[in-house]
Amino acid sequence: MTKIMVTGTAGFIGFHLARRLLEQSIDVVGVDNLNSYYDVKLKKDRLAQLQDAPGFQFIRQDISERAEMAQLFDEQQCDKVVHLAAQAGVRYSLENPYAYTDSNLTGFINILEGCRATRVSHLVYASSSSVYGANARTPFSVQDSVGHPVSLYAATKRANELMAHSYSHLYDLPTTGLRFFTVYGPWGRPDMALYLFTQAILAGEPIQLFNEGRMKRDFTYIDDVVEGLLRVIDQPAQANPDWSGDDPNPASSSAPYRLYNIGNQNPVSLDEFVTTLETCLGKTAIKELTAMQPGDVLETSADTSGLAADFGFQPKTSLATGIQRYVQWYRDYHGHDD
């Protein structure tokens, strides 16, 4: 039996992935510290969807605690690890930078060490489209330079990619990093625009459109992200036999190391995003146009050709379909009938 550790299991993506793995009769060791960055009730309600599934084990644990994480890896002896736990959010990194170094840097080295010590066959971890930072050329390609992050969050995610490469090179540990592009859908995070906008519009309260709504995001539906994850998990990263230090490919290596984008390849303006949400809700938003926020970028757009070439997969859920499914979940979860 395959046994997979999923960190961040009470989080948005981790919950959806764990549910799909359990449906495939794969044993899941779920790890989460249930911190209060956002509503803990939502995290517990996600976990409640998993608790009764055969093969699911939940362990409340902070990944930044070195000794406890080493013990967890030693006791569980998992075949693969999907590392999704992290301190998320660009703006929050301006207020609480140490939360990011604790979780995203110290936590990640604990994951790498656990994988090395227990000879995990594949580590898949969440990176972010934020790593592209000041890069203005679109669509963003894994071949692009990512040396100019514009937020601490982005810097920690890029650091994760570099740390993973060192372990792939030194210890032959297969690692695959996935740069997620604005994931949305049912059970989504309350600090994300879709949740905040839906909540405000239904309450008749104004929503803030940063940079006066002149921004674009490559919104990616959760089911597409999970499908991509499932395919990647099953194919451990391989060394690239054609890799050369004279002309280094940033997305692969002579070590078993790979990077991929997961995005919808269809950037949507914030105005169009709100219009679609208004249609699904049957209500008009009250808009407040505000300035660009520190750490934000004007546009994200994913080149997913690597994912298509290596796994035969490309996200395909339209924004209208995804938002409609989200709105239905939101109404059901919060008891909104209007």
Side-chain angles (χ1 to χ4, degrees), residues 187-263:
W187 297 98
R189 283 171 25 209
D191 62 322
M192 297 291 283
L194 182 54
Y195 200 113
L196 293 170
F197 288 178
T198 301
Q199 186 178 48
I201 292 170
L202 288 175
E205 298 171 352
I207 63 172
Q208 288 190 322
L209 300 185
F210 297 121
N211 199 40
E212 300 183 345
R214 296 192 298 270
M215 298 167 73
K216 287 187 174 182
R217 291 291 181 268
D218 201 342
F219 294 99
T220 313
Y221 189 62
I222 183 63
D223 288 0
D224 290 329
V225 167
V226 170
E227 181 61 32
L229 273 165
L230 291 173
R231 296 191 186 205
V232 169
I233 291 167
D234 282 343
Q235 294 188 42
Q238 303 288 323
N240 178 358
D242 299 322
W243 194 89
S244 169
D246 293 327
D247 184 20
N249 175 350
S252 67
S253 174
S254 56
Y257 168 88
R258 298 288 169 138
L259 292 172
Y260 298 95
N261 289 332
I262 294 190

Side-chain angles (χ1 to χ4, degrees), residues 39-205:
D39 185 13
V40 175
K41 181 181 183 302
L42 178 60
K43 297 180 180 183
K44 290 182 176 179
D45 288 344
R46 292 181 185 131
L47 281 177
Q49 308 289 310
L50 307 173
Q51 293 285 20
D52 295 333
F56 181 68
Q57 180 183 1
F58 176 68
I59 298 171
R60 185 168 183 171
Q61 175 60 51
D62 190 320
I63 61 169
S64 69
E65 296 177 333
R66 184 194 304 182
E68 289 82 354
M69 286 300 295
Q71 181 179 350
L72 189 155
F73 270 92
D74 185 56
E75 291 175 348
Q76 294 299 329
Q77 295 293 319
C78 293
D79 305 295
K80 300 172 184 177
V81 173
V82 183
H83 177 53
L84 302 172
Q87 179 57 61
V90 169
R91 295 183 190 101
Y92 187 62
S93 67
L94 302 176
E95 305 167 20
N96 193 353
Y98 291 106
Y100 291 76
T101 56
D102 290 345
S103 181
N104 300 5
L105 298 180
T106 301
F108 194 64
I109 192 64
N110 290 339
I111 294 294
L112 288 170
E113 271 295 285
C115 290
R116 177 194 64 79
T118 58
R119 304 188 66 80
V120 163
S121 66
H122 193 195
L123 167 63
V124 179
Y125 62 95
S127 187
S128 168
S129 61
S130 296
V131 301
Y132 290 104
N135 176 29
R137 182 174 61 186
T138 57
F140 295 158
S141 167
V142 289
Q143 305 301 324
D144 290 340
S145 168
V146 287
H148 298 86
V150 295
S151 70
L152 178 64
Y153 169 68
T156 64
K157 285 299 184 177
R158 178 56 181 151
N160 287 171
E161 296 175 353
L162 298 173
M163 293 161 73
H165 182 268
S166 68
Y167 270 64
S168 295
H169 173 76
L170 291 169
Y171 306 114
D172 205 33
L173 170 66
T175 67
T176 302
L178 299 176
R179 294 173 175 171
F180 296 135
F181 282 68
T182 316
V183 186
Y184 75 100
W187 297 98
R189 283 171 25 209
D191 62 322
M192 297 291 283
L194 182 54
Y195 200 113
L196 293 170
F197 288 178
T198 301
Q199 186 178 48
I201 292 170
L202 288 175
E205 298 171 352

Side-chain angles (χ1 to χ4, degrees), residues 258-301:
R258 298 288 169 138
L259 292 172
Y260 298 95
N261 289 332
I262 294 190
N264 204 41
Q265 293 195 116
N266 183 29
V268 172
S269 70
L270 201 51
D271 283 336
E272 182 182 342
F273 177 74
V274 172
T275 299
T276 304
L277 178 57
E278 289 173 324
T279 300
C280 292
L281 289 171
K283 295 192 72 171
T284 301
I286 304 167
K287 302 172 185 176
E288 288 184 354
L289 305 183
T290 63
M292 188 86 161
Q293 297 294 291
D296 268 351
V297 296
L298 282 173
E299 179 177 351
T300 64
S301 176

